[in-house]
Amino acid sequence: MQEMWKQWLVEALLKTTIRYPSQRQFSPNLNRFYINHATSVFPLHHKNLTTEKKTLAHLPIEIITPSTQKNESVIFYLHGGGFHLGSLKSHRAWLYRLAETTKTQIINVDYPLAPESPFPHSSQAIYNAYLALISSGIQAENIILAGDDSGANLALTLALRLIRQKDTVLPRAVMLFSPFLDLTLTSRSIRSNRKHDALTSIQFLQKGIGYYTANTNFEADDPRISPLYGDLTGLPPLLIQVGSKSVLLDDATRLKEMAEAVDVVVDYQLYTGMWHNFFMFNEWFDEGKQALLNSKEFIDSL
């Protein structure tokens, strides 16, 4: 009963402080300021971590290294935020916990955001950073592409670009958390979960799409911006985590079905009763803690 009330209170708070404001027409800069401060409520666990700020292909990055690191893998992480929000700071607490739990080094990438840098600028900058990481001596077989929300879109888009070009070694795996993959917004859960998702809204997604695709001639179903319409053949092992209340639930489910149809190894994990990006609330909910442990199991299985 206590857990039920705690979840109800948190969802009500998120709907009031995050989802409702996301439906309003505030400027990207104001929203970024707000989100960076709102995410400060997440506690930072860094006793067993070291952090280092560097640049990679001119992009600011934060290298998060657990003192208990037990593998050679590197998670190349792209934060979410509807293509126009998010930063190193907004996702720092989540990535500290992910690094600590999986005992894996994480490179948190601060890529350029829309509307200042719409497609293809951000996508190209991320591609250049990936090539620079390999040039630095990191073996592609040790790189795990990862991201949440729009960052998951950019991670999968990068993987599909590498497959198409056939001139760069693919990463070892791809990890997608609450992925935003279809910019046509035709997934059924966009409507069916619109009242249940505590964190995001259709209006927020539409606003992000408008910023990201501004001044381009690309249709919303172009695989370069909606990777759900791409050919997934040859994709490395894939982890997908999503909450059952997420408006993007069907983006994740459709990706699972499409990947399995072309024999991609898929670990699809559905968390009942959870909203979009629920894993960032791992301090307070068992489902978030389990998502972390399941991420560790996926990496260990590689």
Side-chain angles (χ1 to χ4, degrees), residues 179-282:
F180 179 20
L181 306 174
D182 183 3
L183 273 59
T184 70
L185 297 182
T186 54
S187 286
R188 183 174 52 188
S189 59
I190 294 286
R191 276 81 192 173
S192 62
N193 273 344
R194 68 185 184 278
K195 294 183 179 179
H196 305 300
D197 194 325
L199 199 68
T200 196
S201 63
I202 298 175
Q203 292 88 342
F204 175 80
L205 299 176
Q206 290 171 332
K207 183 164 50 177
I209 292 170
Y211 289 147
Y212 186 56
T213 61
N215 302 317
T216 69
N217 295 319
F218 292 92
E219 297 296 330
D221 61 355
D222 190 301
R224 288 167 288 185
I225 58 175
S226 290
L228 202 57
Y229 294 92
D231 183 358
L232 306 181
T233 304
L235 197 68
L238 179 63
L239 170 69
I240 307 170
Q241 292 185 350
V242 68
S244 65
K245 290 183 177 180
S246 172
V247 293
L248 296 175
L249 168 62
D250 285 349
D251 278 27
T253 304
R254 290 164 61 195
L255 176 65
K256 166 190 176 291
E257 295 169 351
M258 293 172 59
E260 289 178 338
V262 291
D263 297 324
V264 173
V265 176
V266 183
D267 187 351
Y268 173 84
Q269 300 171 4
L270 176 66
Y271 296 84
T272 303
M274 291 290 103
W275 53 89
H276 182 64
N277 273 31
F278 71 94
F279 45 84
M280 295 183 73
F281 300 80
N282 57 80

